[in-house]
Amino acid sequence: MLAGVAFVAMNAQAVLNYNAVSAQHGGEVLDLGRQATPQPGLHGHMVRVVATPSVVEAPRDPDFNLSVDTPVLTRHVEMFQWREVRIGDSTHYEMDWFDHWIDASHFADPRGHVNPPQLPLAGKSFDAGLVQMGGFRLAPVLQRALPGAAVVTPDMSALPANLAASFSRQGNYLQTSARAANPQLGDVRISWDEVPLRPMTVVARLDGDHLIPAPGTADGQGYQVAVGDVGLLDLFPDLPTPPDAVVLKRIAGILLATLGAFVLLTERRRFVAAATGQPPSTPRLNDVWLSLGLGALVVGAVAATVWAGANQQYMLAWIALALPGAALAAWQWRRRH
């Protein structure tokens, strides 16, 4: 009987521990697996989805008329500029490509090392209008969180006429230099990165058919993304192993407690028979019902105590088991005597 009680209590504690850590990441995660689609009853749950992102509305760089099927298109702008290099007491100057403007007025010797006033264009990211994972739409923050980067080859034929006259293609760059190997001060080169489309894992909260970050999480993020089919324990290393066969273990605990009560009643018959000098009576159907009532009463009362203050719904469910168990045990005990 004690084994049944302990079995149910340990099982409840394992579920409580798992739920407590899950709550720090937005709640218990339902594993929908590969190519999942919206289903009734999932709204508000954290879900794990594995799929290759599908770009429905591609991002576009309007300045260069460049559109790519990717969740995020990133434009990088660099300018050939002077920089100051100090090594000990020695100072020298050299030119290189930089993605930010260098203020030459702060140089120790600015003469002959003046940079253009600013970059003619700014680097920028362009989000796709709609990206799906399976049957779910990704929120913009999740699109931008998708990992990986690959260089985009620019399309000269798509360039507006004014930019086509200023830029030439040099490998994966558009560059204003007349000769790629010999850039001059103030020359500009442009390149783009895309997020490659490949199988990815996303854990996020489900809002209708949208995957969004969960609010109020301990890490302040509320989602996880990774390349490939990545399990929950790899995404959340602090998460304990999810309890398995929870319902079966609860039933097993009740049956163990019932068996313990039946053994106690059987031993009681033998004790009474030995005290009175009579042969022990055989167990009756009444003993089975009485044992079941006692098992439900004891296990339900202990489990309700474990869940008290943690989950009112589970506490009430165990009380709903304990009360009929008490009524059944009282009825059978009354019939027994």
Side-chain angles (χ1 to χ4, degrees), residues 23-336:
Q24 299 178 11
H25 302 291
E28 183 179 359
V29 179
L30 302 179
D31 194 348
L32 303 185
R34 290 180 171 273
Q35 303 298 333
T37 56
Q39 303 172 27
L42 295 181
H43 177 79
H45 284 85
M46 294 292 290
V47 295
R48 173 182 173 271
V49 178
V50 180
T52 299
S54 173
V55 179
V56 180
E57 298 175 11
R60 176 176 171 271
D61 184 340
D63 295 321
F64 290 84
N65 195 30
L66 179 66
S67 181
V68 180
D69 282 337
T70 181
V72 179
L73 177 65
T74 303
R75 179 176 72 196
H76 303 282
V77 180
E78 300 170 282
M79 186 166 66
F80 204 65
Q81 307 174 70
W82 285 107
R83 71 166 177 171
E84 184 177 68
V85 180
R86 296 187 180 186
I87 303 176
D89 296 331
S90 174
T91 301
H92 70 275
Y93 298 88
E94 60 185 33
M95 284 194 291
D96 206 343
W97 294 104
F98 295 97
D99 61 1
H100 59 280
W101 177 64
I102 297 177
D103 186 359
S105 64
H106 299 296
F107 289 171
D109 182 12
R111 292 174 302 176
H113 308 120
V114 178
N115 286 323
Q118 62 182 3
L119 271 67
L121 288 169
K124 193 173 181 181
S125 290
F126 306 91
D127 295 339
L130 175 59
V131 178
Q132 290 186 280
M133 288 278 291
F136 302 104
R137 300 182 177 206
L138 289 184
V141 65
L142 294 179
Q143 289 181 210
R144 292 189 287 270
L146 293 176
V151 177
V152 175
T153 301
D155 182 6
M156 287 295 297
S157 63
L159 284 182
N162 61 326
L163 293 179
S166 302
F167 288 91
S168 61
R169 179 181 163 188
Q170 308 290 344
N172 291 319
Y173 293 95
L174 292 183
Q175 194 166 316
T176 59
S177 309
R179 290 180 295 173
N182 187 28
Q184 302 299 308
L185 178 66
D187 277 342
V188 175
R189 69 180 185 183
I190 314 290
S191 62
W192 290 266
D193 286 345
E194 64 174 331
V195 176
L197 300 178
R198 50 188 171 173
M200 295 188 187
T201 300
V202 173
V203 175
R205 177 160 292 179
L206 192 55
D207 181 15
D209 63 347
H210 287 71
L211 291 173
I212 64 172
T217 57
D219 57 9
Q221 182 168 292
Y223 64 88
Q224 284 289 339
V225 295
V227 176
D229 189 344
V230 183
L232 281 179
L233 296 182
D234 293 320
L235 292 171
F236 303 107
D238 59 334
L239 198 66
T241 303
D244 58 344
V246 173
V247 176
L248 291 178
K249 289 178 179 178
R250 289 168 179 165
I251 295 174
I254 296 172
L255 293 179
L256 272 175
T258 299
L259 178 60
F262 185 79
V263 172
L264 284 175
L265 292 174
T266 302
E267 289 300 312
R268 184 178 183 277
R269 285 183 179 278
R270 293 179 181 176
F271 177 77
V272 171
T276 59
Q278 298 177 356
S281 59
T282 58
R284 297 177 298 182
L285 182 61
N286 167 263
D287 294 335
V288 176
W289 289 113
L290 178 56
S291 300
L292 183 59
L294 289 173
L297 169 61
V298 174
V299 170
V302 172
T305 302
V306 174
W307 283 100
N311 189 306
Q312 187 176 12
Q313 182 179 357
Y314 278 120
M315 181 190 72
L316 294 176
W318 283 109
I319 291 176
L321 173 69
L323 291 179
L328 177 61
W331 175 43
Q332 294 300 322
W333 186 264
R334 185 179 182 86
R335 290 189 59 191
R336 182 185 182 90

